[in-house]
Amino acid sequence: MNPSSFEYFAPKRIEEAFDILAKYDGEAKILAGGQSLIPLLKLRLTSIPYVVDISRIEELSYIRESHNELHIGALTTIDDIENSASIRGKYPIIFDAASNIADPLVRNRGTVGGNISHGDPSNDMPAVMLALGAKFTIASARGDRVADADGFFIDTFTTALKYGEILREITIPGRGTHEAGCYMKNKKTAGDFSVAGIAVQIRFNNSGTIEKAGIGMTSVNPKPIRAIKAENYLKGKKVGDSVVREASRLVVSESNPSTDFYGTVEFKKQVLAKIAEDAIYMATDRAEEN
Amino acid sequence: MENVKIRSRVNGKDIESEVEPRKLLVHYIREDLGLTGTHVGCDTSNCGACTVLVDGKAVKSCTMLAVQANGREITTIEGLSRQGKLHPIQEAFLEKHGLQCGYCTSGMIMTSFWLLRKNRNPTEEEIRKNLSGNLCRCTGYQSIVDSITYASKLMKADETEKEGIMVEQ
């Protein structure tokens, strides 16, 4: 299967990419790792007259820590994230998601920025970014702007990125002393998209009460969303069986899955309820170990 | 559409070609370069029969454009043997019956080549996890895993031997 013909550009600087995007007003598409876009082109689910391959813009690939925040360049590959000691140590929620995306070969090409800006409700990084309260730096010819992960995902395959804009960086807020998270997903076969996925990040105070909870969901809604009711419910609580059960019930109440190849609505809700409980316990265990 | 000139190093040899931007890397390797050891299996990024190394990392060449390989180093299954001598991973697949029909084999070997370069002593779990993007429809995974375990031993023996020679010299 071959994509239909297109013209190809491989700028080395982000400013060049802006110029090309501007020249082909509305008709050019950005290619990063290509692990979603190339299959779409091959299956002819889409065709694009102008492809702007940004993968040679080296300044967009980095993992840095500064001012207690974590900065990840949008073109950082999923494999690089999986192998980053600082991410694994401080943000296991990101490691969990990275190490379970598709398969190692796809992770060698796929990028974190692509995973986010594709706007696929089955992609794993959006839920993680919602749970962490991440911020996205969005670059364009007009300069940079910053958007919250919350509000970035507008609809299926639609994000707040406008034509001409390129996701530059993902900024993860600093982690509290008693804070940890986890990402869990249930999939039918190795490398497949999930039936359901959940990202949970919890911050406790010194006496073991939840100060803040962030929860994001994958594959159970037309777009990646937070479970706000469950987040609010958990605030001020101590983790125990009845609290976790109620939080899980609230998570499910905020989901809106549809029946498809991956299962019925009922099945997906049961899967979500189970992984929500498991993920809250796991995040709690990890926070206690900190 | 205009063809694009690309220059890459394939199995140690510098090659310059003109390709259509839409041409997939796997088709460039098979049709333009005649290296048919890299297979097209599912053609939908699932099976890994098309696995090659690009700049040292194993990737699915059906999910990459040939133009994206411009300036990169590509290693295919044909690049593993040295002076007619099979690579230890290839030897191991022969020895441990790591293939039945053989269609997935070059992909299995390239993915394992990548693994064994970064991890000389992988556990069985690491081998299996690393192969999660490579499908074998003869259901021959057990012998494939055995082959890779055996390959890691052969490669270690090779190294010890080389070190021995260096000491003697």
Side-chain angles (χ1 to χ4, degrees), chain B residues 14-46:
Chain B
D14 290 320
I15 294 179
E16 211 177 283
S17 310
E18 276 197 17
V19 295
E20 230 190 313
R22 64 170 172 163
K23 178 165 254 171
L24 298 166
L25 180 59
V26 68
H27 293 144
Y28 171 66
I29 290 170
R30 287 178 56 84
E31 291 156 21
D32 295 23
L33 305 182
L35 299 169
T36 52
T38 303
H39 293 166
V40 180
C42 68
D43 207 8
T44 52
S45 324
N46 285 294

XYZ file of all heavy atoms in Angstrom, chain B residues 14-46:
258
model
N 27.876 3.512 1.014
C 27.178 4.773 0.736
C 26.385 4.651 -0.551
O 26.932 4.235 -1.582
C 28.190 5.924 0.611
C 28.801 6.260 1.958
O 28.046 6.254 2.950
O 30.020 6.494 2.037
N 25.113 5.006 -0.476
C 24.258 4.871 -1.653
C 23.476 6.155 -1.876
O 22.940 6.742 -0.942
C 23.285 3.679 -1.482
C 24.080 2.369 -1.457
C 22.247 3.642 -2.607
C 23.246 1.135 -1.263
N 23.459 6.592 -3.144
C 22.685 7.777 -3.479
C 21.572 7.358 -4.430
O 21.812 6.614 -5.377
C 23.615 8.786 -4.165
C 23.220 10.212 -3.905
C 24.197 11.190 -4.541
O 25.286 11.375 -3.969
O 23.855 11.744 -5.597
N 20.359 7.803 -4.164
C 19.233 7.434 -5.028
C 18.282 8.606 -5.185
O 18.320 9.557 -4.417
C 18.428 6.282 -4.415
O 19.236 5.223 -4.022
N 17.417 8.473 -6.181
C 16.323 9.432 -6.312
C 15.035 8.675 -6.058
O 14.795 7.634 -6.670
C 16.314 10.037 -7.714
C 17.273 11.186 -7.823
C 16.996 12.060 -9.026
O 15.897 11.983 -9.601
O 17.912 12.821 -9.395
N 14.233 9.173 -5.151
C 12.993 8.452 -4.821
C 11.805 9.402 -4.806
O 11.934 10.605 -4.569
C 13.073 7.759 -3.438
C 14.118 6.662 -3.428
C 13.333 8.762 -2.327
N 10.658 8.814 -5.046
C 9.410 9.557 -4.898
C 9.183 9.734 -3.392
O 9.395 8.772 -2.641
C 8.267 8.707 -5.485
C 7.393 9.444 -6.455
C 6.151 8.636 -6.810
O 6.275 7.437 -7.116
O 5.069 9.215 -6.740
N 8.755 10.908 -2.941
C 8.594 11.116 -1.492
C 7.666 10.099 -0.832
O 7.825 9.773 0.340
C 7.999 12.526 -1.401
C 8.435 13.217 -2.638
C 8.513 12.157 -3.691
N 6.686 9.589 -1.568
C 5.728 8.685 -0.947
C 6.242 7.247 -0.821
O 5.570 6.384 -0.280
C 4.427 8.677 -1.729
C 4.564 8.134 -3.129
C 3.202 7.934 -3.719
N 3.248 7.600 -5.119
C 2.222 7.063 -5.754
N 1.099 6.824 -5.112
N 2.311 6.781 -7.026
N 7.418 6.980 -1.389
C 7.925 5.597 -1.366
C 8.289 5.179 0.053
O 9.002 5.886 0.768
C 9.147 5.472 -2.278
C 9.749 4.072 -2.274
C 10.701 3.861 -3.413
C 10.051 2.975 -4.465
N 10.780 2.876 -5.698
N 7.807 4.030 0.462
C 8.107 3.531 1.803
C 9.518 2.955 1.825
O 10.005 2.428 0.821
C 7.092 2.461 2.207
C 5.651 2.974 2.272
C 4.664 1.811 2.339
C 5.453 3.918 3.453
N 10.136 3.043 2.993
C 11.514 2.566 3.124
C 11.631 1.092 2.717
O 12.589 0.694 2.053
C 11.998 2.773 4.565
C 13.419 2.318 4.866
C 14.435 3.035 3.987
C 13.756 2.557 6.347
N 10.652 0.281 3.096
C 10.742 -1.154 2.787
C 10.750 -1.384 1.272
O 11.476 -2.254 0.774
C 9.614 -1.965 3.480
C 8.243 -1.642 2.915
C 9.897 -3.458 3.382
N 9.978 -0.586 0.538
C 9.954 -0.756 -0.919
C 11.263 -0.263 -1.541
O 11.747 -0.840 -2.513
C 8.754 -0.017 -1.525
C 7.447 -0.642 -1.111
N 6.311 0.093 -0.862
C 7.115 -1.939 -0.856
C 5.336 -0.729 -0.492
N 5.808 -1.967 -0.479
N 11.817 0.796 -0.968
C 13.115 1.288 -1.438
C 14.169 0.196 -1.245
O 14.955 -0.106 -2.158
C 13.482 2.560 -0.659
C 14.886 3.053 -0.905
C 15.269 3.536 -2.150
C 15.833 3.032 0.127
C 16.558 3.990 -2.376
C 17.126 3.485 -0.084
C 17.487 3.959 -1.349
O 18.763 4.394 -1.558
N 14.169 -0.420 -0.072
C 15.164 -1.455 0.233
C 15.000 -2.666 -0.690
O 15.966 -3.172 -1.261
C 15.033 -1.890 1.719
C 15.509 -0.756 2.641
C 15.811 -3.176 1.994
C 15.206 -0.998 4.121
N 13.768 -3.095 -0.876
C 13.526 -4.311 -1.657
C 13.645 -4.075 -3.164
O 14.309 -4.831 -3.872
C 12.134 -4.876 -1.343
C 12.028 -5.523 0.020
C 10.608 -6.002 0.270
N 10.164 -6.910 -0.786
C 10.418 -8.210 -0.809
N 11.091 -8.769 0.176
N 9.979 -8.955 -1.797
N 12.970 -2.998 -3.638
C 12.859 -2.822 -5.086
C 14.014 -2.011 -5.681
O 14.555 -2.384 -6.711
C 11.511 -2.160 -5.416
C 10.351 -3.114 -5.135
C 9.042 -2.400 -4.868
O 8.904 -1.228 -5.274
O 8.156 -3.020 -4.244
N 14.376 -0.922 -5.009
C 15.448 -0.088 -5.574
C 16.815 -0.701 -5.284
O 17.707 -0.668 -6.126
C 15.402 1.333 -4.992
C 14.132 2.076 -5.394
O 13.140 1.395 -5.714
O 14.142 3.312 -5.390
N 17.001 -1.232 -4.079
C 18.318 -1.753 -3.709
C 18.415 -3.279 -3.908
O 19.491 -3.846 -3.799
C 18.653 -1.397 -2.251
C 18.590 0.099 -1.886
C 19.002 0.312 -0.434
C 19.490 0.924 -2.807
N 17.279 -3.925 -4.160
C 17.301 -5.372 -4.415
C 17.613 -6.209 -3.188
O 17.971 -7.385 -3.291
N 17.459 -5.618 -2.008
C 17.734 -6.382 -0.781
C 16.421 -6.996 -0.277
O 15.713 -6.420 0.540
C 18.358 -5.460 0.283
C 19.704 -4.830 -0.119
C 20.112 -3.745 0.868
C 20.787 -5.908 -0.198
N 16.133 -8.190 -0.803
C 14.805 -8.763 -0.552
C 14.727 -9.603 0.719
O 13.715 -10.263 0.971
C 14.363 -9.615 -1.764
O 15.426 -10.536 -2.059
C 14.095 -8.745 -2.983
N 15.779 -9.558 1.517
C 15.720 -10.265 2.807
C 14.766 -9.579 3.773
O 14.243 -10.204 4.692
N 14.536 -8.300 3.584
C 13.559 -7.561 4.383
C 12.182 -7.819 3.773
O 11.988 -7.588 2.584
C 13.871 -6.048 4.355
O 15.206 -5.860 4.829
C 12.908 -5.271 5.231
N 11.264 -8.317 4.585
C 9.969 -8.742 4.035
C 8.846 -7.756 4.304
O 8.895 -7.008 5.283
C 9.585 -10.101 4.641
C 10.486 -11.206 4.202
N 10.514 -12.435 4.824
C 11.418 -11.255 3.216
C 11.418 -13.202 4.239
N 11.982 -12.501 3.263
N 7.838 -7.799 3.442
C 6.589 -7.087 3.715
C 5.610 -8.134 4.229
O 5.298 -9.092 3.526
C 6.013 -6.421 2.440
C 4.710 -5.700 2.779
C 7.012 -5.450 1.849
N 5.180 -7.959 5.450
C 4.240 -8.924 6.019
C 2.843 -8.356 6.010
O 2.112 -8.446 5.029
N 2.476 -7.700 7.097
C 1.114 -7.187 7.237
C 0.913 -5.877 6.502
O -0.187 -5.551 6.091
C 0.790 -6.985 8.715
S 1.746 -5.647 9.468
N 2.008 -5.112 6.352
C 1.941 -3.795 5.731
C 1.058 -2.818 6.516
O 0.568 -1.844 5.985
C 1.441 -3.908 4.279
C 1.952 -2.763 3.405
O 2.792 -1.983 3.881
O 1.483 -2.637 2.260
N 0.789 -3.133 7.795
C -0.029 -2.227 8.615
C 0.625 -1.981 9.979
O -0.061 -1.800 10.976
C -1.446 -2.794 8.833
O -1.333 -4.142 9.321
C -2.271 -2.775 7.574
N 1.946 -2.018 10.035
C 2.706 -1.685 11.250
C 2.506 -2.652 12.412
O 2.777 -2.305 13.560
C 2.390 -0.272 11.753
O 2.183 0.596 10.698
N 2.018 -3.857 12.127
C 1.798 -4.802 13.213
C 2.863 -5.879 13.331
O 3.299 -6.210 14.422
C 0.442 -5.518 13.035
C -0.717 -4.624 13.380
O -0.891 -4.233 14.524
N -1.500 -4.273 12.383
